[in-house]
Amino acid sequence: MKSGLSAPVSSQLGRLRIDLGALCANFRRLAATAAPARCAAVVKADAYGLGAAPVVSALARASCRDFFVAHLEEALALRGMIGAEGVLYVLNGVARGAEAVCADAGIIPVLSSVEQCRAWQAFAQTRGGTAPAALQIDTGMSRLGLDLQSAAELAQDAGFLAAAPLRLLMTHLACADTPAHPANAAQLAAFAQARALFPQTPASIANSGGIFLDGAYRGDLVRPGVALYGAAPSSEAMPLQRVVTLDAPVLQIRTIPAGAGVGYGLDYAASAPRRIATLGIGYADGWPRHLGGRGAAWRGGVRLPMIGRVSMDSMSVDVSALAPDTLAEGDLVELIGPSQSLEDVAREAGAIAYEILTRLGARLHRTYAHIGD
Ligand SMILES: *Cc1c(COP(=O)(O)O)cnc(C)c1O
């Protein structure tokens, strides 16, 4: 879990509510779409900023058994939470010298180069001969993974296969969020060649977007991340439940005369008297600074335009559209919720939902609820 601040002693922190019921409902929908492939959960980067510990416990109770993180440290922190039958994969592989820690914890490294494969094999030989691993093939993204030629050589190597029994053969799609992109089919065809080299090994291709390409992309195990957290990975995706609600407290309300400026640089100047509210969330909480003067907060379905620059700990909205007695200091306004989705915020900020989620700051007061489901 993000360290965060514990129970708020004042009501001035931004509030981040994470609906674990909606998370589990999204998991079940994705699993039903992917079936008969199994559905894993990608919980790297603290479960995309939402808190890996509560997210993993909730998903484990919803029968999720396979989890992916990026780093060994992340896997070690979660190991105790997923039960003996759970499997934890480390996408970025294992560093030299960390093999024993990884294997002793029963964590499966995703090996992505010949050098990593050889180092893991050598390690396995010091340990009674076997240490299971996953193997990643680069089918066109040029990020991590072996090329087909190296994979073919490894597939002929009985010593390697005995030392490192392969639990999973995987690849990653570069363009799964664009279903019509020709790279998808090209990567699938390249991966079919890799699968033929390791016919006994379960295969995994699809991230969230890949699940909504056709069934050929689902393989034996799908690896959604962002869709679990409620963001549609592509236009083809089914509707998902909202997992994240972000509210900001009103710190002050004031009326400013025509000509008054607001915030650093006085970028905004009122053309007429306005009522404005200062909110207790700023860019240090992950609200994009780029939304200064263009984003909005919402209250009861009314849009409250952002004015001026986003500060570190606060920002201002124009609340003139609200009846004067409907908003008071200490009240909350919506930043992500029923009126404004995560995708809306990302689009307006020139960002992606992943970036908004993973930047949500540690000092937001996180609460976990079981509402959807
Ligand atoms: C992050 C990641 C995923 C999950 O991607 P989403 O688009 O969030 O579903 C799956 N596989 C790999 C290799 C990843 O790095």
Side-chain angles (χ1 to χ4, degrees):
M1 203 186 321
K2 254 207 175 126
S3 61
L5 302 178
S6 48
V9 289
S10 76
S11 56
Q12 293 190 336
L13 291 174
R15 318 285 170 82
L16 182 63
R17 196 181 69 209
I18 293 131
D19 182 348
L20 297 173
L23 168 83
C24 292
N26 290 338
F27 172 74
R28 279 193 279 272
R29 281 190 195 182
L30 293 163
T33 302
R38 276 159 73 106
C39 188
V42 179
V43 296
K44 60 195 181 188
D46 202 30
Y48 291 40
L50 302 188
V55 162
V56 167
S57 324
L59 289 172
R61 284 196 303 276
S63 304
C64 182
R65 292 289 168 266
D66 307 273
F67 296 89
F68 288 84
V69 292
H71 295 284
L72 180 57
E73 286 79 357
E74 296 179 299
L76 291 168
L78 298 173
R79 181 65 264 190
M81 259 165 242
I82 62 166
E85 71 287 15
V87 186
L88 261 166
Y89 296 93
V90 178
L91 289 166
N92 284 5
V94 60
R96 284 292 173 96
E99 292 93 348
V101 174
C102 183
D104 288 346
I107 291 164
I108 310 290
V110 177
L111 306 177
S112 285
S113 70
V114 173
E115 294 70 27
Q116 271 186 11
C117 290
R118 293 303 176 203
W120 188 255
Q121 178 181 5
F123 161 74
Q125 282 156 356
T126 69
R127 285 295 184 98
T130 60
L135 189 65
Q136 178 158 216
I137 309 296
D138 175 36
T139 53
M141 188 175 181
S142 311
R143 189 172 73 167
L144 291 171
L146 281 76
D147 60 37
L148 278 172
Q149 178 61 37
S150 309
E153 285 163 25
L154 214 55
Q156 300 303 313
D157 183 339
F160 171 74
L161 296 175
L166 292 179
R167 297 283 293 268
L168 193 67
L169 184 71
M170 59 170 274
T171 193
H172 192 48
L173 298 170
C175 304
D177 59 352
T178 312
H181 201 295
N184 292 319
Q187 287 197 263
L188 186 65
F191 194 56
Q193 295 182 47
R195 288 177 79 170
L197 297 169
F198 302 90
Q200 308 303 330
T201 306
S204 177
I205 308 162
N207 64 344
S208 298
I211 295 172
F212 300 99
L213 302 175
D214 75 64
Y217 291 85
R218 292 177 196 143
D220 301 303
L221 183 74
V222 297
R223 309 186 307 270
V226 80
L228 291 170
Y229 310 115
S234 71
S235 53
E236 306 295 298
M238 63 176 63
L240 296 155
Q241 288 199 32
R242 178 164 43 82
V243 174
V244 170
T245 306
L246 179 65
D247 291 308
V250 173
L251 302 180
Q252 281 204 348
I253 299 177
R254 70 181 70 241
T255 300
I256 57 170
V262 174
Y264 283 120
L266 304 177
D267 281 5
Y268 172 87
S271 55
R274 309 303 300 171
R275 263 181 348 108
I276 67 167
T278 307
L279 308 179
I281 279 184
Y283 63 77
D285 300 296
W287 193 252
R289 193 170 167 282
H290 189 66
L291 288 179
R294 78 180 75 218
W298 293 76
R299 168 89 175 174
V302 177
R303 187 173 189 275
L304 310 175
M306 299 266 165
I307 53 175
R309 294 186 198 165
V310 176
S311 292
M312 186 182 291
D313 318 301
S314 67
M315 56 197 187
S316 298
V317 289
D318 185 331
V319 299
S320 308
L322 293 173
D325 54 354
T326 56
L327 189 71
E329 289 172 14
D331 285 349
L332 297 174
V333 298
E334 175 192 324
L335 291 174
I336 298 172
S339 297
Q340 179 162 272
S341 69
L342 179 59
E343 292 95 322
D344 291 337
V345 173
R347 196 177 320 108
E348 226 163 352
I352 54 176
Y354 302 73
E355 201 180 347
I356 303 294
L357 285 176
T358 55
R359 290 190 178 179
L360 291 169
R363 70 183 173 180
L364 293 171
H365 181 238
R366 286 163 164 72
T367 55
Y368 294 88
H370 250 281
I371 299 168
D373 210 0

